[in-house]
Amino acid sequence: MSTTLEQTIEHHFASGAAAIGNPDAEKAFLELRGQLEAGTLRSASPDAASSIGWTVNAWVKRGILLGFRIGQLEDQSCGRLSFIDKATYPARTFTPEQGVRVVPGGSSVRSGAYLAKGVVMMPPAYVNVGAYVDEGTMVDSHALVGSCAQIGKRVHLSAACQIGGVLEPVNASPVIIEDDVLVGGNTGVYEGTIVRSKAVLAAGTVLTRGTPVYDTVNGTVLKATADQPLIIPSGAVVVPGARAVTKGKGTEWGLSVYTPIIVKYRDEKTDLSTALEDLLR
């Protein structure tokens, strides 16, 4: 994107409290926010040369944080519904020409988030600043797309699933859900986890940086490392499971702890079970 904008954002972010009330800082932030909403600027971008396939644009995150710093609280109420938030981050509005379907009933998209043509939001749902939601994705009822999360094409975020956000530390990778992923109901994906294309996360699966994932197909255990997040392979079908506690009283009491398990990789039968997606869009 614009090198000049990057330099300007970095300058005003580094100036700390001096940026508050500075019209140049506000102008730079509004340009950044506009590019985020247009999808021409992202907090993380696909990068084939990267070891994880993505690059974090830390300066964009700093620009988002700059918006919080310079924004003053204002009344954003709508009728009898009372809302108070930073003036720099009002709720987004859409037009029919944009092709985004936001069904009435309590959903909200914060400014600075991108929703592509064909995205459907069922109420109530929420998309936070810096998030990128690509074409044909469904954000189902009670789903959350956290700050800076990157959601691919034709993804289904099922009811009550939680896609974690991350603004700080600014160098940290956001949660990334690649194309054609099915995220089941009441699923949680947090702390920079990357879910590769066509994976299926069964209802109730929880993935975090500290969560080991047991791949029963390949006989391996997937974990995050010091320099890489947890990565779920393409086409993996992940279900909630348990593993025995093997030390101390846990063994004596026959206890087990939660763990996600890869039980198979996506095939034609799995695809048939997700064919309902097309009927819902």
Side-chain angles (χ1 to χ4, degrees), residues 194-199 215 222 231-237 262 265:
I194 297 177
V195 181
R196 297 290 193 208
S197 62
K198 298 186 177 180
D215 186 341
L222 308 177
I231 300 176
I232 301 302
S234 179
V237 178
I262 297 176
Y265 282 79

Side-chain angles (χ1 to χ4, degrees), residues 69-88:
R69 180 183 296 163
I70 66 176
Q72 302 297 314
L73 288 179
E74 70 171 8
D75 188 341
Q76 299 179 4
S77 299
C78 179
R80 292 188 176 185
L81 300 176
S82 177
F83 304 103
I84 305 295
D85 199 5
K86 295 280 188 172
T88 44

Side-chain angles (χ1 to χ4, degrees), residues 212-237:
V213 178
Y214 288 76
D215 186 341
T216 63
V217 178
N218 296 308
T220 58
V221 181
L222 308 177
K223 297 180 180 180
T225 64
D227 57 353
Q228 288 200 346
L230 174 66
I231 300 176
I232 301 302
S234 179
V237 178

Side-chain angles (χ1 to χ4, degrees), residues 60-62 64-65 68 129 147-148 165-171:
V60 174
K61 287 188 178 184
R62 284 190 279 270
I64 293 171
L65 290 170
F68 283 105
V129 59
S147 57
C148 298
V166 58
L167 278 173
E168 296 184 280
V170 292
N171 292 321

